[in-house]
């Protein structure tokens, strides 16, 4: 009963339902499978009595799609935490178990919940890491671009007073939300490089770097493009190639940490970063600030800049 109430219908992830571009039947099938696996993870969380019970089922999902299921479960558990339908904290228990290896995807999933919950319930969301909490904004941005495409992608909407997190510099939340919007645009454009880059370049210049970071993350984690297409995407990114590499490195770490690297990820990091997924993940991990940064630049932004700068200094990309 709880699963039926909480779980969206799988038809919502069909490209035809969303009105997204279809590059090919293969790309369509991949993107729809991603959506299906996200909702599968969501349903597992809604049905589970404990996070461990959901984990047992999540670990049976093929590794190419397992992270998406964990992301969906993160959303499901966050929804439960914020409503009277749950007994005891779910996301905290999820992260304390096997979900720890999928921490990035779970935080993004909590951001999906943020997009579905009224703002007065956001205080109930469990996001204890002051650095990684910004990943929830990525999830929020993806959700809005995926389900409110006309407004957030074609209309290029930004909330002028986005209220979370309260201690973030004014306007910074929208930059991370843009990373999520860019990630969704890889889906909206059906993994078609020409369509995706055209959409990105319709945005004002000051937003394109964050959009490319998100699209690079999606192209590396969800995949869906051949090597020659990825090379074209890299070339068309132009001055935003460092941000494209930064997003790719985020995706690499999200796959390397739980041991879910697939051949398509290896190709993408080689094209975007000039290194293997393991090397890209190490650069991402070693670039993390070890303490909160004081001043107007959040630690999350310092992290992203360090990663981008590393790839520039290595000669794999050029601004």
């Amino acid at each position: 009963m709880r699963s039926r109430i909480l779980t969206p219908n799988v038809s919502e992830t069909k490209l035809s339902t969303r009105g997204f571009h279809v590059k090919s039947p293969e790309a369509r099938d991949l993107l729809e499978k991603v959506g299906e696996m996200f909702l599968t993870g969501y349903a597992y969380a809604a049905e589970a009595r404990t996070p461990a019970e959901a984990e047992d089922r999540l670990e049976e999902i093929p590794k190419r799609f397992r992270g998406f299921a964990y992301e969906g479960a993160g959303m499901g558990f966050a929804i439960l935490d914020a409503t009277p339908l749950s007994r005891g904290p779910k996301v905290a228990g999820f992260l304390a178990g096997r979900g720890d290896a999928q921490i990035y995807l779970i935080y993004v999933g909590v951001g999906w919940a943020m997009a579905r919950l009224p703002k007065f319930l956001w205080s109930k969301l469990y996001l204890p890491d002051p650095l990684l909490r910004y990943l929830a904004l990525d999830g929020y941005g993806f959700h809005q671009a995926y389900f409110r495409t006309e407004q957030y992608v074609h209309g290029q909407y930004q909330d002028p007073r986005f209220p979370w997190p309260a201690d973030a510099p004014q306007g910074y939340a929208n930059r991370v939300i843009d990373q999520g919007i860019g990630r969704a645009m890889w889906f909206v454009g059906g993994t078609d490089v020409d369509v995706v880059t055209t959409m990105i370049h319709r945005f004002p210049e000051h937003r394109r770097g964050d959009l490319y970071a998100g699209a690079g993350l999606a192209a590396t984690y969800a995949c869906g493009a051949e090597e020659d297409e990825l090379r074209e995407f890299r070339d068309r990114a132009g001055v935003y190639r460092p941000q494209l590499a930064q997003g790719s490195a985020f995706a690499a770490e999200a796959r390397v940490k739980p041991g879910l690297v697939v051949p398509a990820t290896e190709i993408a990091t080689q094209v975007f970063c000039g290194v293997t997924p393991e090397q890209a993940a190490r650069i991402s991990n070693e670039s993390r600030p070890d303490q909160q940064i004081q001043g107007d630049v959040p630690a999350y932004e310092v992290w992203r800049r360090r990663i981008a700068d590393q790839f520039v200094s290595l000669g794999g990309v050029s601004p």
Side-chain angles (χ1 to χ4, degrees), residues 162-183:
F162 195 83
W164 189 93
D167 60 346
Q170 184 175 5
Y172 184 70
N174 279 324
R175 292 199 54 197
V176 190
I177 289 171
D178 271 355
Q179 180 177 283
I181 292 172
R183 190 162 60 90

Side-chain angles (χ1 to χ4, degrees), residues 263-281:
T265 296
E266 296 176 350
I267 294 171
T269 59
Q270 195 63 55
V271 171
F272 295 149
C273 307
V275 297
T276 66
E278 292 74 18
Q279 290 169 322

Side-chain angles (χ1 to χ4, degrees), residues 130 217 247 263 317:
L217 198 162
V317 300

Side-chain angles (χ1 to χ4, degrees), residues 4-284:
R4 290 176 188 169
I5 293 172
L6 293 175
T7 308
N9 192 291
V10 70
S11 65
E12 292 189 35
T13 67
K14 299 295 184 183
L15 268 64
S16 58
T17 301
R18 304 256 56 84
F20 294 170
H21 175 72
V22 176
K23 179 181 72 175
S24 66
E26 294 77 15
R28 179 198 61 210
D29 292 347
L30 171 66
L31 296 180
E32 291 183 349
K33 185 69 171 180
V34 167
E36 178 188 338
M37 290 297 98
F38 179 96
L39 290 181
T40 296
Y42 189 109
Y44 287 173
E47 296 165 6
R49 291 169 295 181
T50 65
E53 186 177 284
E55 289 166 11
D56 289 339
R57 302 175 73 185
L58 290 166
E59 288 296 316
E60 295 177 356
I61 291 176
K63 69 179 186 178
R64 180 164 190 175
F65 301 103
R66 194 177 303 161
F68 300 108
Y70 267 91
E71 184 180 350
M75 178 188 179
F77 283 135
I79 293 284
L80 287 171
D81 279 347
T83 67
L85 298 174
S86 179
R87 294 180 180 178
K90 299 295 187 182
V91 174
F94 198 28
L95 291 170
R98 281 168 285 185
D100 177 64
Q102 300 277 7
I103 187 170
Y104 303 134
L105 277 299
I106 292 172
Y107 268 64
V108 169
V110 173
W112 276 69
M114 180 182 289
R116 291 284 174 120
L117 291 168
K119 290 183 176 65
F120 72 86
L121 289 177
W122 288 4
S123 62
K124 295 182 178 292
L125 298 176
Y126 184 75
L127 295 161
D129 190 306
L131 176 66
L132 298 184
R133 63 179 174 162
Y134 281 98
L135 291 172
L137 294 175
D138 180 302
Y140 179 94
F142 185 100
H143 176 283
Q144 300 301 76
Y146 192 90
F147 290 104
R148 299 169 67 177
T149 309
E150 187 62 35
Q151 180 182 14
Y152 277 81
V153 176
H154 304 305
Q156 302 175 6
Y157 174 77
Q158 283 189 308
D159 186 336
R161 297 181 181 85
F162 195 83
W164 189 93
D167 60 346
Q170 184 175 5
Y172 184 70
N174 279 324
R175 292 199 54 197
V176 190
I177 289 171
D178 271 355
Q179 180 177 283
I181 292 172
R183 190 162 60 90
M185 286 165 74
W186 186 249
F187 287 70
V188 175
T191 80
D192 187 314
V193 168
D194 182 61
V195 174
V196 175
T197 53
T198 297
M199 285 192 296
I200 291 175
H201 285 269
R202 288 181 180 142
F203 279 74
E205 288 186 18
H206 72 275
R207 298 182 64 181
R208 293 176 193 168
D210 296 318
L211 295 170
Y212 265 112
L217 198 162
T220 304
Y221 196 95
C223 309
E226 300 296 329
E227 183 173 354
D228 60 333
E229 296 175 287
L230 295 175
R231 291 188 183 280
E232 181 186 352
F233 194 34
R234 177 199 63 193
D235 294 344
R236 291 183 67 166
V239 296
Y240 305 108
R241 284 178 62 184
Q243 287 77 27
L244 188 71
Q246 175 263 302
S248 182
F250 266 16
E253 189 174 5
R255 281 206 174 271
V256 168
K257 185 176 174 66
L260 301 181
V261 173
V262 294
T265 296
E266 296 176 350
I267 294 171
T269 59
Q270 195 63 55
V271 171
F272 295 149
C273 307
V275 297
T276 66
E278 292 74 18
Q279 290 169 322
R282 185 167 61 251
I283 288 170
S284 175

